[in-house]
Amino acid sequence: MSDLTTLETEILAAIESADTEAALEDVRVAALGKKGSLSELMKTLGGMSPEERKTMGPALNGLKAKVTDALAARKEVLAEAALEARLASESVDVTLPLRSSPLETGRIHPVSQVIDELTAIFADMGFSIAEGPDIETDELNFTALNFPEGHPAREMHDTFFFNPKENGERLLLRTHTSPVQIRTMRNQEPPIRVIIPGRTYRCDSDQTHTPMFHQVEGLVIDKGAHFGNLKWVLEEFCKAFFEVDNIKMRFRPSFFPFTEPSMEVDVQCDRSGGEVKIGEGNDWLEILGCGMVHPNVIRNCGLDPDVYQGFAWGMGIDRIAMLKYGMADLRAFFDADVRWIQHYGFRPLDLPTLFGGMSS
């Protein structure tokens, strides 16, 4: 019995000194495993006399129960200690400032914002969006639009041409979104009411011009479309886009191969104070070109100019963005400067609407 007392003291001491669950498992195996010290003693009960079993049986079973309870208690203590250590190592300092969410740090580029504004305004007038490829044929970009052979716009210093094909045809980067007008008229029955935003390309680069820029054009083809309709559409657009109640517009005679008559459009503005304020003052600023669609263009699209007529206009998206939001240099639009986009960009959820404001 003295040996059992010694064994009990050793096992319980080992259990108490185990500082990890892995060490505690080693103690359990050494005591209660298949070849553990207590297990080996339990095997000797079969060779004892009945009188010895009456004494040793209860003593061994009692020791086994005591060791099992001690192991369970120590395991619970170690588990709690491990949890406390994990919580301490993974704690969060709730006094730290919150990180900005992606919706706070991300910004919508002014060009994308203005395209959304254009879409909202013209959609309310019944216009849909038309799109086309950036790489066009000479026929769609010039010929079908009534550009004569030898026109300066066809020269290399104005247009980005690709190398000629074997048949002599030369593709080009479109110089305006007008080829989409041709595609629309050839593939859609009138009445037609579309706006065409997109990228365009010309050999030009300075403070207010870049080799690639964005343009939006509008086209209306119907049996009764007239210049009064065009004037109303442009006035309503300018009032909504520049967010002014009233605006004066001046239509000056001009020339474009694809419209007749053709007009340059100026808007009322005030240039005093180092900024341009649209809709007030006594100054004028040119913002777009427009006119009635030339009969030759209508005829080139397979329509009868004696039955259908229409009007069209075009303006630079980058240019009107600069006017509205006070940006002085067009080249900064394409510099990918994070500081610039943080200053001039728009929050992703600030969607332009006619009832909520274009730039709310």
Side-chain angles (χ1 to χ4, degrees):
M1 295 295 292
S2 61
D3 291 340
L4 286 182
T5 302
T6 302
L7 181 60
E8 177 183 341
T9 302
E10 292 175 352
I11 294 175
L12 293 180
I15 292 173
E16 189 64 29
S17 64
D19 56 359
T20 64
E21 292 190 32
L24 185 64
E25 177 65 14
D26 291 339
V27 175
R28 186 196 70 79
V29 172
L32 301 178
K34 185 180 293 186
K35 295 183 179 181
S37 55
L38 265 177
S39 300
E40 292 294 331
L41 286 176
M42 296 290 287
K43 293 176 183 179
T44 63
L45 288 175
M48 295 182 183
S49 63
E51 292 76 12
E52 290 175 325
R53 279 200 298 271
K54 286 182 181 181
T55 303
M56 291 297 294
L60 288 173
N61 286 326
L63 178 56
K64 181 178 181 182
K66 188 179 291 186
V67 169
T68 301
D69 291 342
L71 286 168
R74 185 60 179 168
K75 184 175 183 179
E76 184 176 349
V77 170
L78 292 174
E80 290 180 359
L83 178 59
E84 290 179 2
R86 180 181 175 187
L87 290 175
S89 65
E90 297 178 358
S91 64
V92 176
D93 186 351
V94 295
T95 65
L96 290 174
L98 291 174
R99 295 178 180 176
S100 298
S101 71
L103 290 178
E104 293 297 323
T105 57
R107 289 293 183 271
I108 300 297
H109 195 282
V111 170
S112 299
Q113 175 75 12
V114 169
I115 290 175
D116 287 344
E117 294 179 15
L118 295 170
T119 301
I121 294 170
F122 284 111
D124 190 63
M125 299 184 196
F127 286 80
S128 58
I129 304 294
E131 295 179 316
D134 289 10
I135 298 175
E136 275 291 2
T137 63
D138 183 88
E139 194 270 334
L140 290 176
N141 196 82
F142 292 123
T143 305
L145 287 162
N146 204 39
F147 281 83
E149 292 292 335
H151 191 281
R154 294 176 183 260
E155 300 298 326
M156 284 294 294
H157 63 270
D158 282 331
T159 303
F160 292 105
F161 281 97
F162 290 90
N163 292 330
K165 295 183 178 180
E166 293 182 358
N167 60 3
E169 181 186 13
R170 301 178 70 187
L171 298 179
L172 53 91
L173 293 176
R174 65 184 183 186
T175 59
H176 42 195
T177 57
S178 302
V180 184
Q181 295 188 34
I182 303 300
R183 292 175 179 272
T184 302
M185 285 189 278
R186 288 180 176 180
N187 293 288
Q188 180 178 327
E189 290 291 328
I192 296 171
R193 293 176 180 84
V194 295
I195 62 167
I196 310 157
R199 292 179 297 270
T200 54
Y201 309 84
R202 296 178 191 174
C203 298
D204 207 352
S205 181
D206 57 38
Q207 188 174 354
T208 57
H209 299 84
T210 55
M212 187 279 290
F213 59 100
H214 298 84
Q215 187 182 57
V216 60
E217 295 186 6
L219 173 69
V220 172
I221 298 293
D222 207 341
K223 292 181 179 180
H226 55 79
F227 204 92
N229 301 142
L230 169 62
K231 184 173 182 291
W232 179 86
V233 167
L234 295 180
E235 285 181 348
E236 291 303 306
F237 162 74
C238 287
K239 287 191 292 185
F241 179 75
F242 292 109
E243 302 181 61
V244 294
D245 294 330
N246 293 289
I247 191 169
K248 293 180 181 178
M249 305 183 73
R250 183 171 67 180
F251 291 76
R252 293 180 288 105
S254 185
F255 170 77
F256 304 113
F258 34 81
T259 52
E260 179 59 38
S262 302
M263 299 285 174
E264 300 279 4
V265 180
D266 304 330
V267 293
Q268 173 194 15
C269 69
D270 181 6
R271 289 192 175 91
S272 63
E275 59 180 328
V276 178
K277 298 178 181 178
I278 305 296
E280 56 185 88
N282 298 312
D283 297 321
W284 296 96
L285 181 68
E286 179 187 329
I287 62 166
L288 61 90
C290 65
M292 300 300 292
V293 179
H294 198 290
N296 289 345
V297 175
I298 295 177
R299 190 176 294 109
N300 290 339
C301 295
L303 300 175
D304 187 350
D306 293 328
V307 176
Y308 294 105
Q309 61 185 22
F311 54 85
W313 70 91
M315 68 187 86
I317 294 176
D318 317 274
R319 176 171 170 78
I320 61 175
M322 292 172 69
L323 289 175
K324 182 173 182 178
Y325 296 112
M327 293 170 277
D329 196 325
L330 180 61
R331 292 168 293 190
F333 278 60
F334 311 102
D335 284 344
D337 190 324
V338 174
R339 297 167 299 178
W340 186 89
I341 193 67
Q342 285 290 335
H343 179 76
Y344 287 109
F346 295 82
R347 296 178 184 274
L349 296 182
D350 289 345
L351 301 177
T353 62
L354 290 173
F355 58 86
M358 289 293 104
S359 55
S360 59

